[in-house]
Amino acid sequence: FLAATQTFTQEKIEYRVAGLTMEGCTCKVACNCPWSGVAHGCQGLSTIIVNGGSYNGVNLAGAKIAQGGVAGNRIYIYVDAKDAQRDAATAFAKGYWKNEGTVLAVRNVKIDLSGQAGRYTLTIDNGKIARLTSEPVLGGDKKNPVAHSNADTPWPLMQARAVTGFFHDGDISFTLENTNSYFNEHIETRSGL
């Protein structure tokens, strides 16, 4: 699902978004989408918690965006932002995940992400639409997560495992258990990259 993390450009739209990203999908560990492109049929959800930056002059700090669905097919986008940020956060999310599939709807709902260092719990709409828990997959030193630094993404992917999770919106529904998850606590994407 992180194949969508390639930077996007929109004519005359200036943006810079920094924050944390986390995702889970139905693929086995590790999902190959970041290396071979969006795998049609990969089902997953991902989120960005924005801690700095702007889109078209609107400050996005504190905004949360997420998407879920079937990669390369159909997705839903979720936005949790202040009223003054909502339109800009929605426009950024649509551009950021434009390669993930047709956007069926954009919903303004609560998005929560708690935890750190790959041990996360994500809920969308208070767990009514989605819930995902993850844990890091540690490398040889048994301290740090496996890092994929040469993927088709503008930042390294830290490997995690989706311990449990589910997604349900419209006619798209799936569960996650012992499947792939990626995260990075220090992302930045901006126009002109």
Side-chain angles (χ1 to χ4, degrees):
F1 245 55
L2 273 175
T5 60
Q6 296 176 5
T7 57
F8 67 94
T9 57
Q10 293 179 331
E11 193 172 326
K12 300 180 185 176
I13 301 291
E14 293 289 325
Y15 65 91
R16 179 192 153 273
V17 171
L20 178 154
T21 187
M22 181 261 200
E23 76 156 58
C25 68
T26 55
C27 295
K28 301 285 185 198
V29 176
C31 173
N32 67 355
C33 289
W35 293 274
S36 61
V38 173
H40 292 270
C42 175
Q43 299 171 321
L45 58 136
S46 58
T47 190
I48 296 176
I49 308 303
V50 181
N51 60 31
S54 63
Y55 180 86
N56 203 21
V58 177
N59 183 345
L60 292 182
K64 302 169 191 172
I65 59 173
Q67 66 85 22
V70 182
N73 190 311
R74 302 170 295 142
I75 65 167
Y76 290 88
I77 288 180
Y78 308 96
V79 177
D80 183 355
K82 297 174 189 170
D83 289 343
Q85 299 173 312
R86 190 166 291 122
D87 289 344
T90 299
F92 173 75
K94 285 181 173 180
Y96 185 77
W97 285 307
K98 71 180 179 183
N99 295 327
E100 288 297 324
T102 301
V103 176
L104 298 175
V106 176
R107 305 197 195 290
N108 296 311
V109 296
K110 187 168 179 55
I111 299 169
D112 282 313
L113 183 69
S114 60
Q116 63 182 2
R119 293 187 187 280
Y120 298 111
T121 298
L122 168 68
T123 59
I124 299 175
D125 195 19
N126 296 310
K128 295 174 193 161
I129 292 173
R131 181 176 178 85
L132 171 63
T133 60
S134 69
E135 65 183 15
V137 173
L138 300 181
D141 65 0
K142 306 297 184 212
K143 295 178 183 176
N144 298 298
V146 171
H148 305 282
S149 61
N150 197 20
D152 192 16
T153 59
W155 45 76
L157 301 175
M158 304 303 156
Q159 187 67 61
R161 179 176 68 92
V163 178
T164 61
F166 71 88
F167 175 86
H168 178 74
D169 201 346
D171 67 347
I172 302 174
S173 185
F174 56 86
T175 59
L176 304 170
E177 186 172 354
N178 296 316
T179 56
N180 185 71
S181 179
Y182 291 125
F183 71 98
N184 188 312
E185 296 178 327
H186 306 285
I187 67 162
E188 182 174 353
T189 186
R190 58 188 164 165
S191 54
L193 283 180

